[in-house]
Amino acid sequence: MLTYDVDIWSIRKRAGRPKPWELRWRVGERPHSRSFKLKPQADGRRAELMAALRDQQQFDEETGLPARELMALTSPSWYEHVTEYVLMKWPRAAAKHRASIAESLAVVTPALVTSKRGAPHPSVLRDALYQWAFRAVRGPDGTWVPRHAVEEPPAEILKGGQQNSNDLISRALDEGEES
C-alpha cells in the first residue's frame, strides 16, 4: 500500500559490523533500514529518499521504496513486454502481419540496448530477434509460446519505467528508418 506517512531518521554508526552505517526510515507503521560500508553512501541514499519526499512521492509500506523506484523495479523489460505483445497478437494475425510484427520489433529493439559492451553487431541481433525471439509456435499443450526463449535477455535492455525517455525513443525510431 502506498502512503505519504514517512519519517526518515538520521544515520547511525554501529561499530564492529561489516557495514557500520545504518540508514533508518519508517513508512506507515513499518520501519525499514539499510546498511552501508561508507557514510557518504548512506548520506546519498538518505538524500534520495528526502528528494522523493520533497517531490511528494508516495512510499510503499512493504518495501519502503518511493513509488517511482518501486515501479522501475517491478516493471517488465522492453524484451519481456514485446515478447508478451507478440504472443498476444500472433494467434489472430495473418502471415504477412506476423512477419511485419517481428520485423518492426526486431528493428527497434537493438536501438533500445543501453550498453554495446559484449553485444553482437546490431544486424546480427536484429536477425536473431526476427528469426527466433519474435516468433511464436504452439507448445506441447497447444498454447502459443515464443519460438526460442532467450534464457537471460541482456540486462542492458531498458526496463519499462525507462521507456519514457524521449531521446531513446527518437533514436529507436531513427534506427528503424535507416534499416
Side-chain angles (χ1 to χ4, degrees), residues 7-147:
D7 286 326
I8 301 174
W9 299 309
S10 61
I11 298 165
R12 71 178 180 181
K13 184 171 184 178
R14 300 173 308 155
R17 303 235 179 167
K19 295 181 177 181
W21 302 99
E22 183 183 38
L23 171 62
R24 299 179 309 129
W25 69 100
R26 180 189 56 79
V27 179
E29 297 295 319
R30 197 161 177 191
H32 297 277
S33 68
R34 184 166 169 205
S35 298
F36 299 89
K37 285 186 178 185
L38 304 173
K39 187 171 183 186
Q41 293 171 328
D43 283 331
R45 181 61 181 151
R46 185 173 190 273
E48 289 172 353
L49 294 176
M50 295 294 282
L53 272 178
R54 275 192 304 278
D55 292 342
Q56 298 178 350
Q57 288 187 48
Q58 291 182 316
F59 280 65
D60 179 52
E61 287 187 53
E62 188 176 325
T63 63
L65 297 175
R68 286 189 195 136
E69 284 184 33
L70 183 64
M71 185 186 76
L73 285 176
T74 58
S75 63
S77 70
W78 169 259
Y79 180 80
E80 294 164 340
H81 175 71
V82 296
T83 302
E84 287 298 317
Y85 175 79
V86 167
L87 293 176
M88 176 191 71
K89 288 292 199 179
W90 212 259
R92 290 181 286 296
K96 290 287 185 181
H97 185 59
R98 289 176 177 179
S100 295
I101 291 170
E103 183 178 5
S104 61
L105 294 174
V107 168
V108 170
T109 300
L112 296 175
V113 176
T114 57
S115 171
K116 305 298 183 203
R117 184 178 182 182
H121 191 271
S123 64
V124 173
L125 179 58
R126 201 169 27 251
D127 288 344
L129 292 170
Y130 178 74
Q131 295 171 11
W132 291 98
F134 298 146
R135 300 289 179 141
V137 295
R138 291 218 184 257
D141 59 352
T143 60
W144 289 98
V145 295
R147 180 175 180 187

Side-chain angles (χ1 to χ4, degrees), residues 143-163:
T143 60
W144 289 98
V145 295
R147 180 175 180 187
H148 181 279
V150 177
E151 289 183 17
E152 267 194 52
E156 292 82 14
I157 294 180
L158 296 178
K159 294 287 274 181
Q162 297 171 317
Q163 294 168 17

